[in-house]
Amino acid sequence: MIRRSPLKRQTIDPRFVFDRSRYPVEYLDREWSEAIVQKDILRELHRVGIAAFAFDSGGKAMRARAGAGGAAVGAAGLPDVIGWLPGGKGLFIEVKRPALIIDGRIIKRAGMVSDEQAAFLTRAHAAGCAAGVAWSAWDALLIAGVE
């Protein structure tokens, strides 16, 4: 007999879940790295006049130089892109790679946010900032309120 866990399952905010129906098939049938998605996001945000910067909260570059013992730069959950909108409203975007889907089959799952990332984005949104998860530049523009 399998017993159910006594722990409550955490409800996942739908804003933090990849929904393949929102993307053209042509976008999902090629493999995207998180780094390429982030470059596209920054280019598009800059194109529409939004100040946005890549933020390495995990300290990837520092760890690469320091070896396995490298220290993290920021607090847990800080997003990959930080900036501000015209008028000064804060902008926080966690970048994830989209799923790779070929002929309707999921070849590689989309990147998912950690609990710390979801908590940060939820707090930022509640404080009045534009905050969310982007699997594409289109997502980032929607988070920023650009139609």
Side-chain angles (χ1 to χ4, degrees):
M1 173 182 221
I2 298 175
R3 302 184 101 194
R4 289 191 183 266
S5 168
L7 301 176
K8 227 179 176 183
R9 274 195 158 167
Q10 187 173 4
T11 304
I12 298 175
D13 186 322
R15 294 175 298 160
F16 306 147
V17 178
F18 181 78
D19 177 2
R20 72 194 244 184
S21 69
R22 296 177 51 224
Y23 305 90
V25 172
E26 301 79 25
Y27 183 72
L28 299 178
D29 70 358
R30 69 176 266 210
E31 191 164 358
W32 295 87
S33 70
E34 189 173 301
I36 295 297
V37 174
Q38 182 170 299
K39 282 181 185 175
D40 286 350
I41 287 170
L42 290 169
R43 184 184 63 246
E44 287 301 306
L45 291 173
H46 293 159
R47 183 184 64 76
V48 297
I50 294 173
F53 310 91
F55 183 74
D56 183 10
S57 64
K60 291 176 205 152
M62 185 179 284
R63 283 193 308 272
R65 277 185 253 123
V73 174
L78 285 174
D80 301 308
V81 174
I82 294 177
W84 59 88
L85 303 175
K89 184 177 183 177
L91 174 67
F92 300 98
I93 299 174
E94 180 59 41
V95 179
K96 296 295 178 190
R97 67 173 166 71
L100 173 60
I101 301 174
I102 298 176
D103 295 328
R105 290 186 30 237
I106 298 174
I107 307 301
K108 208 178 240 189
R109 296 172 80 84
M112 297 171 47
V113 295
S114 69
D115 290 342
E116 292 86 3
Q117 291 165 337
F120 180 92
L121 294 171
T122 300
R123 286 192 313 269
H125 185 66
C129 299
V133 181
W135 291 271
S136 71
W138 305 303
D139 294 329
L141 291 172
L142 286 174
I143 292 165
V146 177
E147 302 272 336

